[in-house]
Amino acid sequence: MIAMPDVISSLDIGREWVEDVFGIADAFGSGAESSMLSGRMISLAFFEPSTRTFASFDVAAKKLGMNTTSIRSSGESSIYKGESLSDTVRMLSSYSDCIVLRHPNDGAAKLASQITDKPVINAGDGKHEHPTQSVIDLYTVRKSFGKVDGLTYAIAGDLRYGRAAHSLIYLLTKFNPSLVYLVSPPQLSLRDDYKAYINYEYEECETISDAADSIDVLYVTRVQKERFPDDSEYERVRNSYVVDLDTAEMLKDNAIIMHPLPRVGEIDRAVDSSGKAKYFEQASYGVAVRMAIFLKVIGGRDG
Ligand code: NCD
């Protein structure tokens, strides 16, 4: 097995590691449990709102026989000061075997990993990255197509502030997509420092219809209201695009539509009943994939 102490950025994740995770997640399927990590303790430190990510890490830990302790706090907390984060991480690392951290600051998970020698899993650091989401995303692609390579992807929406999009763009550098469309209004386009890592063919465009007839995987993201420096800028771009049934029908028959969720209007509910809609299935894989990630990260360590 390929070990990796921390999961901070999709750039640090290797293809072999991802394929190991896929294989383990397949074995867990939707309901399996195991006592492989029984007696371990996971700290879930979530300093930003979360539904799926928090719940699926919690369930994944428990299905492996682990206990969890959690901290959830709102934006007013003093944890937002860098020094408090270090103190919190130091404390949590004395209580637990692994820290799963969601934090509003870009780079928070990296900082935490430098403070503790316990593994740190980045569950979202500000507008930067969300690496475990990208593993779930490509697991969903593989479930649908039997492969990740050789497909045409369109990653649409908030490519400026969307951490799920960033991690997916990075994780695809470990595979061989045939083409990736980066679809966004100019105000939400991918920053150059992210583009610098792209090693596959990509094209930037402003609407999904520009690319619709060649897309295999349409990955839609939410415009990240909370990350905008000012509300008026958000108001200008919030309704830049909506995927409705007409959009879904423009796609190839076997194309799939994904979204890390939550959605706030960018995919019309009418699309849910289309066979192309995979976002709820995608969310359901969160538990098995995160069980596999826990095994990879903690499994090889002494208890
Ligand atoms: C994403 C996140 O928090 O970055 N959600 C998730 O974890 N599934 C996407 C989002 O909030 O838009």
Side-chain angles (χ1 to χ4, degrees):
M1 286 219 304
I2 309 294
M4 192 168 62
D6 301 298
V7 183
I8 306 295
S9 164
S10 291
L11 286 175
D12 304 333
I13 297 178
R15 179 177 181 132
E16 217 176 314
W17 189 92
V18 177
E19 284 170 352
D20 270 0
V21 166
F22 288 173
I24 301 168
D26 282 345
F28 283 128
S30 51
E33 297 189 17
S34 151
S35 56
M36 281 162 108
L37 296 179
S38 112
R40 310 288 181 102
M41 176 65 80
I42 299 293
S43 289
L44 301 171
F46 277 62
F47 301 108
E48 271 195 340
S50 175
T51 306
R52 274 152 296 273
T53 305
F54 181 86
S56 61
F57 268 116
D58 193 37
V59 172
K62 287 171 179 160
K63 279 182 175 256
L64 289 167
M66 299 192 282
N67 291 310
T68 60
T69 181
S70 56
I71 298 178
R72 305 196 73 169
S73 93
S74 67
E76 284 78 44
S77 166
S78 62
I79 188 68
Y80 280 51
K81 297 173 188 163
E83 195 174 14
S84 299
L85 173 66
S86 331
D87 287 356
T88 306
V89 168
R90 197 158 284 141
M91 176 192 80
L92 290 175
S93 83
S94 70
Y95 298 164
S96 56
D97 300 288
C98 172
I99 299 170
V100 180
L101 180 68
R102 170 167 287 195
H103 195 279
N105 293 354
D106 296 20
K110 179 87 191 158
L111 174 70
S113 72
Q114 288 160 347
I115 290 164
T116 173
D117 55 5
K118 300 283 173 61
V120 173
I121 298 177
N122 182 4
D125 62 325
K127 56 190 180 314
H128 184 222
E129 276 211 67
H130 192 356
T132 64
Q133 179 66 49
S134 66
V135 180
I136 295 165
D137 298 338
L138 292 189
Y139 185 73
T140 309
V141 171
R142 173 179 163 277
K143 280 277 185 187
S144 296
F145 292 95
K147 61 178 186 178
V148 168
D149 296 323
L151 299 171
T152 296
Y153 294 74
I155 304 175
D158 190 344
L159 308 183
R160 176 143 305 234
Y161 299 115
R163 58 193 175 198
H166 293 160
S167 284
L168 179 58
I169 288 165
Y170 280 167
L171 196 59
L172 280 169
T173 66
K174 310 304 166 66
F175 291 85
N176 298 300
S178 46
L179 177 61
V180 178
Y181 290 102
L182 301 177
V183 187
S184 72
Q187 302 94 316
L188 298 181
S189 63
L190 189 67
R191 281 184 2 203
D192 288 346
D193 48 335
Y194 286 91
K195 280 184 207 158
Y197 290 96
I198 299 181
N199 60 0
Y200 43 76
E201 199 182 327
Y202 73 95
E203 267 178 43
E204 295 183 276
C205 54
E206 287 191 35
T207 67
I208 293 163
S209 51
D210 292 346
D213 54 357
S214 65
I215 296 169
D216 297 301
V217 178
L218 172 59
Y219 189 89
V220 185
T221 62
R222 175 178 71 88
V223 178
Q224 307 280 300
K225 180 173 196 281
E226 67 277 27
R227 319 247 180 244
F228 275 72
D230 78 87
D231 288 350
S232 60
E233 184 63 21
Y234 170 72
E235 289 304 326
R236 266 198 293 280
V237 291
R238 60 181 294 193
N239 292 322
S240 311
Y241 57 91
V242 173
V243 173
D244 56 14
L245 265 182
D246 289 341
T247 323
E249 272 156 25
M250 282 192 306
L251 302 175
K252 295 195 286 193
D253 288 347
N254 67 343
I256 64 170
I257 302 171
M258 296 172 59
H259 192 305
L261 302 177
R263 63 173 159 182
V264 287
E266 58 281 347
I267 300 182
D268 193 290
R269 289 190 186 281
V271 177
D272 298 0
S273 54
S274 153
K276 294 174 185 169
K278 292 285 176 193
Y279 27 93
F280 293 117
E281 191 178 315
Q282 179 186 356
S284 77
Y285 295 138
V287 171
V289 171
R290 289 184 166 122
M291 287 172 82
I293 290 173
F294 275 138
L295 271 178
K296 294 283 293 170
V297 169
I298 309 171
R301 294 187 159 224
D302 295 330

